Amino acid sequence: MSHGLSPTGAKILDANDDGLVAGHPAALAKLMSDGLLVPYTADRSTHRMTEDGWAALDAWRKENPGRSALADAPSILPKLPGRQHEAVLTAARRPDQRVPGQDDPAYRAGEAWFRGSTLRKISASGYATIRPESHDKREVTWEETGRPLYLTEAGRLYARQRGNIAVHRRRVVVTVCEEKKLPAPGVEEYGNPLPDHQAGDLYIGDYHQSLRAAADALTDSALIFIASALHGLVPLDRPLRPYDVTLKDEEAVGPETILWQAAGLGLDDADVIFLGGQDYAALLLPAVPHLHAPLAGGMGEQRGQCARARDNAGIREGWWKKAATLHDEHAGR
């Protein structure tokens, strides 16, 4: 069976003893068509070797004792055409790793953005993919939906190799909400309702402020989300009205909603740190099993831990290393 392995195919399989495989989309497609791989993640950026794949690799190794497949195949991904190349590198430089199209804020700000024809090719290459939404009844594509595209692991690998950009999985922080909030915004002089507060401004208690200060030191504001007892996972810029709901209340957010929100935010493809108590951690873990929750003790102790992390880059990097390890461990299961 090993005679069907090209040098590139042998390199890809030989470099992944845990059975999880990533590589150039075209090479992966060939290995899939030969029945040696099947998709492992929803975005198809990572694949798993089949029994035939293991057999082919074992046969190749027996026929080539002491020989490394890594020396027989190119290690650098082929360069994409101009606009596609620029699109991947532009996304790699953004905290959210989104490929900006005409519906992206970058377009309105006069920053780099890319036409649908480029997005279509990036999607087809496997370097970027859409995220699922709760109303999906089946797996859908960019061609069908036109949804925002985000880099896959293959796209990040391309950016590291072809753009010399030190891009890795997104670093997401989730903090808990808090009971103490700003009052309702009220109305203006003509009786019209004033705009709702943004989620990032709504919670004003000392505990939440401590969590938020640590979150701001840990990652970009675009990658900070608040776990709300009523709304679930919300970005900092989402308008919210004050509410009085706890996780024990009937109207509190449920695990299924959190599951869909986590999928829509791409948390399966991110290192995730959670800052908060165990009740919210228990709610999040089924949807984000690689969640790293470094805080312990009561609110006062947690505030102290957040203050130390805010001021100590070594602590923050240690937390991120643990989060990355947890992601890798769960991805291999």
Side-chain angles (χ1 to χ4, degrees), residues 95 97 168-173 215 218-220 222-225 269-273 316-321 323-324:
Q97 296 183 13
H168 299 282
R169 285 188 298 263
R170 291 168 304 123
R171 289 180 162 185
V172 171
V173 176
L218 282 161
T219 196
D220 187 271
L223 300 179
I224 299 173
F225 300 90
D269 188 37
D271 298 333
V272 184
I273 288 176
R316 298 196 300 272
E317 194 56 34
W319 286 2
W320 282 123
K321 287 181 179 178

Side-chain angles (χ1 to χ4, degrees), residues 28 30 45 84 119 131 141 152 163 186 197 270 280:
L28 297 181
K30 175 64 168 62
S45 63
Q84 297 174 51
L119 300 181
R131 293 174 181 165
T141 66
T152 61
H197 306 296
Y280 279 88

Side-chain angles (χ1 to χ4, degrees), residues 66-118:
R67 180 178 171 196
S68 171
L70 299 177
D72 296 329
S75 58
I76 302 298
L77 297 173
K79 188 173 181 179
L80 293 168
R83 290 298 284 172
Q84 297 174 51
H85 173 81
E86 292 175 22
V88 172
L89 300 193
T90 298
R93 295 186 183 101
R94 292 177 51 147
D96 61 1
Q97 296 183 13
R98 177 176 170 178
V99 184
Q102 196 166 357
D103 61 342
D104 189 271
Y107 173 78
R108 296 188 294 276
E111 300 170 0
W113 64 279
F114 301 88
R115 299 184 183 277
S117 57
T118 300

